[in-house]
Amino acid sequence: MPSPGETWPECGVARFLTLLDGPWATLIVRELLHGPLRFSELKDALPGVSAHTLTNRLRRFETYGIVTRSVYAEVPPRVVYELTEVGQGLSVVLDAMNTWALSVPRATGDDAVPLASSCDPAPPVRAV
């Protein structure tokens, strides 16, 4: 991620990869495309993600206007994360990634990478 004062990559693909680096970032967006979620709901939906990684990705997304973080003054406090309009725009990207990946033949043998058995596709983009 660019530090303050650093230049953004000119290439849109490089910029995308800077913002959504690592596998968890894209999966977090996938879950939030279904609607607002609390931190614990996101963590439960992503088995294996650490609280540290989830917190860092959500902070990054908030910084760059991909998600909003709403804190409700309740006991216990309730914090809800939701995609912004910019974040909702990632729906078409994830749909395209899903379509492309499903077209790749499954590999076998020693060099094959284990793939997840299922994927919950993103819902259609909501009208704004």
Side-chain angles (χ1 to χ4, degrees), residues 60-118:
R60 175 182 300 178
F61 292 165
E62 187 178 8
T63 298
Y64 286 93
I66 296 169
V67 301
T68 57
R69 178 180 184 265
S70 300
V71 181
Y72 298 91
E74 300 173 353
V75 178
R78 181 169 51 110
V79 179
V80 176
Y81 296 90
E82 184 173 12
L83 290 173
T84 62
E85 188 174 340
V86 170
Q88 287 288 334
L90 290 166
S91 177
V92 294
V93 175
L94 269 61
D95 286 344
M97 289 170 59
N98 187 49
T99 300
W100 177 84
L102 291 174
S103 74
V104 176
R106 187 175 287 275
T108 58
D110 294 338
D111 292 334
V113 176
L115 300 174
S117 59
S118 67

Side-chain angles (χ1 to χ4, degrees), residues 26-57:
T26 307
L27 295 175
I28 292 165
V29 170
R30 181 194 68 189
E31 293 305 318
L32 288 172
L33 282 167
H34 296 285
L37 293 171
R38 296 175 76 163
F39 185 89
S40 60
E41 293 170 326
L42 270 170
K43 187 150 178 9
D44 290 346
L46 300 167
V49 69
S50 70
H52 175 78
T53 297
L54 183 54
T55 299
N56 285 345
R57 294 305 182 273

Side-chain angles (χ1 to χ4, degrees), residues 1-12:
M1 166 176 279
S3 301
E6 276 189 75
T7 317
W8 271 99
E10 291 297 320
C11 170

